[in-house]
Amino acid sequence: MTTPLSPEQLERLARKRAGAKLGWYMHATLYVLVNVVLALLSSAHGKHWAIFPAMGWAIGLAAHGLAV
């Protein structure tokens, strides 16, 4: 049987969860921005290599999202 959390514990838990979500949103924003730049660079040279770092990073982003 679990004991109910105090208001202070609930607030600490809520802040921790909100911080984790904010961290994931920042990670996702950086992912999009960097990969757009990489896609533009790779397509400007007629190559399409930017898909490889995007796919690798997407795995990390998904793992981060699952952890959050």
Side-chain angles (χ1 to χ4, degrees):
M1 197 173 203
T2 62
T3 60
L5 298 176
S6 70
E8 294 83 17
Q9 291 172 320
L10 283 173
E11 183 175 349
R12 191 171 338 141
L13 181 60
R15 287 184 184 276
K16 183 178 177 182
R17 288 181 180 175
K21 285 182 183 180
L22 180 61
W24 187 85
Y25 288 133
M26 290 171 48
H27 186 180
T29 301
L30 188 60
Y31 169 82
V32 170
L33 293 174
V34 168
N35 283 294
V36 164
V37 171
L38 290 178
L40 291 172
L41 287 172
S42 71
S43 66
H45 296 290
K47 308 285 185 188
H48 298 290
W49 52 263
I51 189 70
F52 298 109
M55 289 172 52
W57 194 346
I59 293 170
L61 183 61
H64 186 178
L66 289 173
V68 169

